[in-house]
Amino acid sequence: MFRNWNTAIQDFTDLLRVDPLNSMARMYRGRALSEQNQWNAAVEDLSAAIHLDPKSWQAFFYRACILRK
């Protein structure tokens, strides 16, 4: 399956310009950033997603996976 992570990152960045408090966009952009090995930016986005939605188990999970590396 072909995945264009750069396009995904750009799309979520555009969405966050419009709605900077969108925790799901932060989480998905963090996941896309991690696929591009941009670890610091990914952790920042996932941490922001957790801050915006503390009940988001997915954001905690993905951030923990990155921090284990």
Side-chain angles (χ1 to χ4, degrees), residues 12-43:
F12 287 119
T13 300
D14 292 342
L15 175 59
L16 288 167
R17 282 190 193 113
V18 175
D19 182 11
L21 300 179
N22 188 323
S23 65
M24 293 298 288
R26 292 265 181 202
M27 185 186 67
Y28 287 126
R29 186 174 72 173
R31 289 180 63 191
L33 288 165
S34 71
E35 290 292 332
Q36 295 289 38
N37 296 327
Q38 297 180 31
W39 307 117
N40 290 335
V43 169

